[in-house]
Amino acid sequence: MASLGQILFWSIISIIIILAGAIALIIGFGISGRHSITVTTVASAGNIGEDGILSCTFEPDIKLSDIVIQWLKEGVLGLVHEFKEGKDELSEQDEMFRGRTAVFADQVIVGNASLRLKNVQLTDAGTYKCYIITSKGKGNANLEYKTGAFSMPEVNVDYNASSETLRCEAPRWFPQPTVVWASQVDQGANFSEVSNTSFELNSENVTMKVVSVLYNVTINNTYSCMIENDIAKATGDIKVTESEIKRRSHLQLLNSKASLCVSSFFAISWALLPLSPYLMLK
Ligand SMILES: *[C@@H]1O[C@H](CO)[C@@H](O)[C@H](O)[C@H]1NC(C)=O
Ligand SMILES: *[C@@H]1O[C@H](CO)[C@@H](O)[C@H](O)[C@H]1NC(C)=O
Ligand SMILES: *[C@@H]1O[C@H](CO)[C@@H](O)[C@H](O)[C@H]1NC(C)=O
Ligand SMILES: *[C@@H]1O[C@H](CO)[C@@H](O)[C@H](O)[C@H]1NC(C)=O
Ligand SMILES: *[C@@H]1O[C@H](CO)[C@@H](O)[C@H](O)[C@H]1NC(C)=O
Ligand SMILES: *[C@@H]1O[C@H](CO)[C@@H](O)[C@H](O)[C@H]1NC(C)=O
Ligand SMILES: *[C@@H]1O[C@H](CO)[C@@H](O)[C@H](O)[C@H]1NC(C)=O
């Protein structure tokens, strides 16, 4: 039977072994990276079918010929991209990335190792490593890349509907987002009972068109249609008054600073006329 003393002894031995291992690792890294340089990446998201940028920067080196940039992806045998001696070196590039990658060659000298990825696919999601060697040393940093689809919503008055209705449409989303309506006048109101959201698969069978209809809207109020999945969040605002329609859209990538904004302002004196009596009834 193991005595308390033995348990304590072996516990201490295990802790020592683990600590020694950790120290050996740290020293190992210390030696190999004695001349280590700082490499910085930014997590980002790619929109399927469009071009994306995997952002990576490093301490610049005055000699371009001494800079080696390697992009790797977890679970992929070949390289994603390699740049050395001032030009691309693609002999070890994985087939998955053939013809789809580029670094900004004129930016490398200022410490920009960002990778441009053409025609982003769902399968491009994963952990990437930006590995840099310069005459000062080497360094690397990982980057989480998410892929999906996201697009700006547009809210319109649905003139065909039998009651005062708004229609929010966004052409491409993936994974399936949630859609929530809000209004400035009834803050905190739950519109789920007076709205109807549907998702139509687009022809490539991945992304979907989002359509959400909000019934029984009133004039002089600002309504927001908010579409969100784990990659992006987008909002379309609309305000209908007797003389004009104001719209604003906003798209923000989550876990990233990137943000897009579009505003529009239409004086639609004639287009709104048929609707005005409707809305005035309220
Ligand atoms: C790197 O250069 C590209 C192309 O000029 C630019 O779009 C990108 O923002 C730069 N990245 C950084 C981190 O400066
Ligand atoms: C409204 O109806 C017209 C004709 O009935 C049709 O062409 C148009 O597509 C409809 N608009 C919407 C938003 O359903
Ligand atoms: C709104 O109400 C529905 C049921 O009517 C409920 O499922 C939903 O969680 C509510 N949403 C919020 C944000 O409270
Ligand atoms: C819209 O309002 C009308 C009349 O106030 C009501 O009969 C109808 O049920 C409402 N529609 C919805 C979807 O709440
Ligand atoms: C929601 O929209 C779908 C498709 O347009 C329709 O089939 C369904 O009846 C609608 N539901 C409600 C509650 O309006
Ligand atoms: C999408 O799916 C449909 C039915 O499942 C199929 O007929 C069509 O070929 C698919 N399209 C693409 C681009 O894969
Ligand atoms: C909407 O606002 C305008 C200007 O503020 C006002 O003249 C009008 O009476 C309002 N309409 C309704 C239906 O509240």
Side-chain angles (χ1 to χ4, degrees):
M1 202 182 85
S3 72
L4 189 62
Q6 275 173 321
I7 292 172
L8 211 57
F9 174 77
W10 287 112
S11 306
I12 291 171
I13 294 287
S14 320
I15 290 170
I16 289 174
I17 289 171
I18 291 167
L19 280 179
I23 289 168
L25 267 178
I26 291 166
I27 291 174
F29 275 123
I31 291 170
S32 65
R34 187 160 37 193
H35 305 288
S36 69
I37 57 164
T38 309
V39 176
T40 310
T41 52
V42 182
S44 57
N47 207 350
I48 298 168
E50 296 184 0
D51 293 355
I53 289 185
L54 282 69
S55 180
C56 177
T57 51
F58 61 98
E59 286 175 62
D61 189 318
I62 45 164
K63 275 185 74 187
L64 182 64
S65 58
D66 284 345
I67 301 175
V68 178
I69 299 173
Q70 279 186 351
W71 276 97
L72 302 99
K73 183 176 186 240
E74 208 172 87
V76 174
L77 272 182
L79 295 174
V80 174
H81 193 93
E82 184 172 28
F83 180 90
K84 65 179 181 192
E85 287 160 6
K87 58 184 195 312
D88 291 335
E89 163 48 58
L90 302 177
S91 59
E92 288 174 58
Q93 186 179 48
D94 197 272
E95 200 169 331
M96 180 179 173
F97 292 101
R98 193 139 300 158
R100 297 175 53 218
T101 58
V103 294
F104 300 95
D106 57 337
Q107 297 281 310
V108 170
I109 196 74
V110 296
N112 182 343
S114 300
L115 184 76
R116 197 160 84 97
L117 187 57
K118 281 184 211 156
N119 187 17
V120 170
Q121 302 296 306
L122 202 54
T123 47
D124 288 331
T127 307
Y128 288 76
K129 186 192 288 293
C130 174
Y131 179 73
I132 309 286
I133 305 173
T134 72
S135 59
K136 294 181 193 165
K138 46 190 165 182
N140 70 78
N142 284 357
L143 176 157
E144 285 307 322
Y145 195 63
K146 286 185 174 178
T147 56
F150 37 90
S151 53
M152 212 65 108
E154 192 174 297
V155 192
N156 280 300
V157 176
D158 194 340
Y159 296 103
N160 288 8
S162 53
S163 70
E164 307 83 343
T165 300
L166 295 179
R167 188 180 170 88
C168 173
E169 283 191 25
R172 297 172 70 252
W173 278 82
F174 185 86
Q176 183 170 308
T178 57
V179 180
V180 173
W181 286 90
S183 98
Q184 206 168 49
V185 172
D186 325 290
Q187 282 188 17
N190 185 339
F191 289 96
S192 67
E193 298 285 318
V194 286
S195 61
N196 188 4
T197 300
S198 57
F199 304 96
E200 295 165 26
L201 200 59
N202 287 322
S203 60
E204 20 68 353
N205 287 346
V206 178
T207 67
M208 56 197 90
K209 178 179 170 182
V210 178
V211 179
S212 187
V213 175
L214 179 68
Y215 304 106
N216 286 5
V217 300
T218 53
I219 200 167
N220 285 354
N221 193 354
T222 301
Y223 290 92
S224 304
C225 160
M226 293 173 288
I227 306 179
E228 181 171 358
N229 64 14
D230 62 345
I231 296 173
K233 178 177 181 168
T235 307
D237 296 332
I238 187 167
K239 179 173 185 180
V240 182
T241 68
E242 277 142 60
S243 55
E244 66 193 23
I245 291 182
K246 282 185 196 169
R247 288 195 193 80
R248 194 172 52 201
S249 304
H250 184 255
L251 176 74
Q252 186 188 6
L253 295 185
L254 304 177
N255 300 318
S256 145
K257 295 182 200 87
S259 168
L260 271 169
C261 198
V262 172
S263 290
S264 65
F265 182 98
F266 294 110
I268 46 132
S269 36
W270 60 271
L272 194 64
L273 282 178
L275 186 76
S276 299
Y278 251 156
L279 293 171
M280 293 286 281
L281 290 175
K282 286 270 135 186

